[in-house]
Amino acid sequence: METRRVVITGLGAVTPLGNNVASFWQGLKEGRNGIAPITKVDVSDSPIKLAGEVKGFDPRDFMDFKSAKRMELFSQYAVAATREALQDSGLDLTREDPFRMGVIVGCGIGAMQKHEMEIPKFLSGAKTDPLYIPLVITNMASANIAIQFGLKGKNMDISTACATGSHCIGEAYNSIRLGEADVIVAGGTEAAITSSAIRGFSALKALSTCSDPEHACRPFDKERDGFVLGEGAGILILEEYAHAVKRNANILAEVVGYGVTNDAYHITSPTPDGSGAGMAMKIAMAQAGILPADIDYINAHGTSTHLNDLYETRAIKYAMGDDAEKISINSTKSMTGHLLGGAGAIEAIVCIRAMTESYIHLTRNSFSGEEELDLDYTFGKGKQRNIQYAMSNSLGFGGHNAALLFHKAG
């Protein structure tokens, strides 16, 4: 069966560096820090003091008040980013077949805020919010996008922890290739800066306990001590190539490869030899018909935890061999924190903007690797580089790996 080409025609974002793609990307280029003291919850008795919070977000800027009241924050972020992405794409929804337009948008955790509000009611016997379940389940981001914009095609919520956003984009790519849709809204969202998430990740010893925003998130640096929670959403409009050309769309990039594997090793740690994530990268390259020497840039998962950064480096070497040292690598999480289910989506957006502008942003706060962390992680400052092929890596709890491969438009 002949497969179809898939391109990106629209981008939308809500992030700790800005609530649209332009401000997000400008913040990355300027090396601004979206990580700051937590204001959304009381952390006075917690060793965790910092997060990448979304600032100045008002859902009424993106939807009517009634709709906003029927969504929790993770859904609001997703709808807001979708509105921007659809506008960016130039799609005229009134001229499209709604049954050929799908949504694959996932969330890693869901509405933990609402759980925290309702559980005390259960314990006290108070009345439960009748919308409790529809507000909290993770599929409501994709469902609300469909409702808001009238998209009646394939609709899915993929939840694979920190690989969620990348898996959603990859599965959307596969769906369009196989003819299941002409356009799919794809990406990830998260709003998990809550007391329970902070306590849970802290108990797991996964979060940085640093209270200085300039040193808390240090991917690939020898002084790294854990990740920083972030929040927000990233949305991409994936479109069948001929469909995009027919309407004279502005094609931003082409999706040419998607690798997906599982480590089958541990619930939180990647496999030590890097073979799981490394094989995902190999699969993506094989699908695109390219070699490691063709890869110019990798947006790494790069969480700033000891094991992730070491094992991801091994994974890159496993996949790329001697060419690994020639590839420019960075971590967007150094400026946004870790958006969990939304991370892969905003990092895919970074890959596309990096190719468009031939610019690789720095890995902020990081200065010196250690014995095995010896690749080009873009420490110190960003750099200009012509990028023909860019890869985005995501590694999720449970061993979920995804590698997305993009080719420059034109």
Side-chain angles (χ1 to χ4, degrees):
M1 178 180 176
E2 184 177 352
T3 57
R4 309 191 304 168
R5 292 173 65 186
V6 182
V7 295
I8 307 295
T9 57
L11 305 173
V14 175
T15 79
L17 287 173
N19 299 334
N20 54 62
V21 171
S23 58
F24 169 47
W25 177 247
Q26 188 62 33
L28 293 173
K29 289 204 301 182
E30 293 174 358
R32 286 196 286 112
N33 197 356
I35 295 168
I38 295 170
T39 64
K40 293 194 169 186
V41 296
D42 181 5
V43 290
S44 58
D45 64 345
S46 170
I48 310 305
K49 304 298 183 185
L50 303 174
E53 296 181 338
V54 168
K55 302 144 186 105
F57 178 82
D58 186 340
R60 294 170 296 181
D61 293 337
F62 307 96
M63 68 201 79
D64 63 83
F65 178 74
K66 183 177 179 181
S67 295
K69 287 286 288 182
R70 289 174 175 265
M71 296 183 211
E72 282 295 296
L73 194 55
F74 76 97
S75 287
Q76 292 175 353
Y77 287 162
V79 168
T82 299
R83 185 170 296 280
E84 181 189 10
L86 286 170
Q87 289 173 346
D88 187 39
S89 75
L91 280 160
D92 181 351
L93 299 184
T94 66
R95 302 185 64 168
E96 299 291 334
D97 179 354
F99 289 99
R100 298 292 297 169
M101 300 187 71
V103 184
I104 305 181
V105 173
C107 182
I109 292 180
M112 298 188 79
Q113 300 93 335
K114 190 63 176 175
H115 289 306
E116 291 178 3
M117 290 174 61
E118 294 299 317
I119 288 172
K121 295 181 184 179
F122 303 160
L123 298 176
S124 68
K127 183 180 178 181
T128 300
D129 184 343
L131 291 179
Y132 171 51
I133 296 300
L135 285 170
V136 302
I137 48 180
T138 59
N139 71 299
M140 280 300 158
S142 60
N144 277 306
I145 289 168
I147 292 166
Q148 287 289 305
F149 301 102
L151 310 180
K152 299 182 178 182
K154 185 173 189 175
N155 192 296
M156 298 178 67
D157 157 43
I158 297 170
S159 184
T160 48
C162 310
T164 292
S166 293
H167 281 145
C168 288
I169 296 165
E171 294 304 318
Y173 162 65
N174 278 340
S175 289
I176 295 174
R177 289 175 75 221
L178 297 175
E180 296 176 346
D182 296 324
V183 178
I184 296 184
V185 175
T189 185
E190 204 75 78
I193 300 177
T194 64
S195 294
S196 50
I198 291 168
R199 286 177 179 273
F201 282 118
S202 178
L204 196 59
K205 306 297 183 185
L207 296 180
S208 171
T209 56
C210 180
S211 59
D212 179 0
E214 300 304 311
H215 296 91
C217 192
R218 309 181 70 170
F220 303 106
D221 190 278
K222 63 184 179 181
E223 301 296 332
R224 65 196 185 280
D225 76 331
F227 77 83
V228 174
L229 272 174
E231 62 175 352
I235 296 292
L236 293 78
I237 306 300
L238 277 68
E239 188 168 351
E240 192 268 325
Y241 174 74
H243 185 276
V245 170
K246 184 177 180 179
R247 66 180 188 87
N248 198 30
N250 179 28
I251 294 174
L252 304 174
E254 182 171 1
V255 189
V256 292
Y258 167 50
V260 55
T261 63
N262 190 275
D263 290 336
Y265 170 71
H266 191 272
I267 59 172
T268 60
S269 170
T271 189
D273 67 359
S275 59
M279 185 56 70
M281 291 181 242
K282 285 190 171 188
I283 292 169
M285 289 186 289
Q287 197 173 86
I290 66 170
L291 299 172
D294 296 311
I295 304 292
D296 301 299
Y297 165 51
I298 294 175
N299 187 294
H301 193 57
T303 61
S304 187
T305 65
H306 176 72
L307 294 184
N308 175 90
D309 295 1
L310 175 60
Y311 296 168
E312 186 178 8
T313 294
R314 291 177 181 173
I316 292 170
K317 293 177 180 178
Y318 177 96
M320 304 299 171
D322 292 341
D323 291 301
E325 63 186 30
K326 304 170 188 175
I327 298 170
S328 296
I329 301 165
N330 66 2
S331 171
T332 299
K333 293 178 181 71
S334 65
M335 286 179 264
T336 63
H338 192 344
L339 272 63
L340 307 179
I346 67 162
E347 290 156 12
I349 290 171
V350 172
C351 284
I352 293 161
R353 292 304 299 264
M355 287 191 294
T356 302
E357 299 194 19
S358 301
Y359 183 78
I360 297 167
H361 72 71
L362 87 163
T363 298
R364 199 180 194 280
N365 308 326
S366 298
F367 305 99
S368 178
E370 52 195 22
E371 184 178 358
E372 287 193 60
L373 302 187
D374 54 1
L375 300 179
D376 176 8
Y377 305 111
T378 321
F379 289 165
K381 62 179 181 179
K383 61 186 174 185
Q384 295 292 141
R385 178 168 179 171
N386 179 44
I387 305 167
Q388 290 296 317
Y389 288 97
M391 181 177 282
S392 180
N393 287 339
S394 293
L395 288 65
F397 278 4
H400 301 287
N401 303 306
L404 294 168
L405 185 56
F406 303 98
H407 186 236
K408 189 173 186 177

